[in-house]
């Protein structure tokens, strides 16, 4: 089993990188789409394509990039920022759309990473089962053999 560790590490690392990057990308796209939807619904002009020149939207975009990567911490931060902005005398139309979109993006990142972790667990179990069966020279059922044929089609698989 120890001779398969390197291949298992590569499988784990590459699968995790792809799924987490996909989760982040989809969540950030949801942030931008939610921002556009909130702007349209609330008749505000904070979205980058409609914003007045001044660059406040750049701060929201960068803030979204950072917050989507750490969604649980970002939700607490969004709640705190929302309470501060509610107490100030600023116009709610300037901050409700981006904060609401970031909240939606954080929830989607939590969901997508959960699904990615489930998929990664499935990949890990399949790889360990394959490595154990390969070491013990187990004769496989036809259905299982079809699944493992995908692993064997990769060059230098084990």
């Amino acid at each position: 089993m120890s001779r398969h560790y390197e291949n298992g590490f590569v499988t784990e690392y590459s699968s995790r990188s792809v799924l987490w990057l996909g989760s982040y990308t989809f969540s950030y796209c949801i942030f931008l789409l939610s921002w556009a939807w909130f702007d349209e619904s609330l008749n505000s002009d904070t979205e980058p394509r409609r914003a007045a020149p001044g660059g406040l939207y750049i701060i929201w975009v960068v803030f979204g990039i950072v917050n989507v990567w750490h969604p649980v911490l970002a939700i607490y931060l969004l709640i705190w920022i929302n309470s501060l902005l509610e107490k100030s005398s600023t116009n709610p139309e300037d901050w409700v759309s981006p904060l609401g979109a970031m909240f939606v993006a954080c929830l989607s990142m939590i969901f997508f990473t959960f699904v990615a972790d489930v998929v990664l667990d499935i990949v890990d179990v399949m790889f360990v089962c394959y490595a154990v069966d390969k070491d013990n020279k187990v004769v496989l059922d036809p259905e299982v053999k079809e699944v493992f044929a995908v692993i064997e089609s990769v060059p230098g698989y084990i």
Side-chain angles (χ1 to χ4, degrees), residues 103-157:
F103 180 74
V104 170
C106 289
L107 291 180
S108 68
M109 182 67 173
I110 291 170
F111 174 74
F112 287 142
T113 53
F114 171 76
V115 172
D117 285 339
V118 169
V119 171
L120 287 171
D121 288 342
I122 292 169
V123 168
D124 290 344
V125 167
M126 289 298 296
F127 185 80
V128 169
C129 289
Y130 177 77
V132 168
D133 287 349
K134 194 76 168 167
D135 277 349
N136 295 328
K137 297 178 179 40
V138 174
V139 178
L140 302 173
D141 293 334
E143 297 102 19
V144 177
K145 197 168 193 162
E146 290 175 15
V147 173
F148 288 157
V150 174
I151 296 173
E152 293 173 354
S153 67
V154 176
Y157 66 100

Side-chain angles (χ1 to χ4, degrees), residues 15 26 119:
S15 300
F26 289 145
V119 171

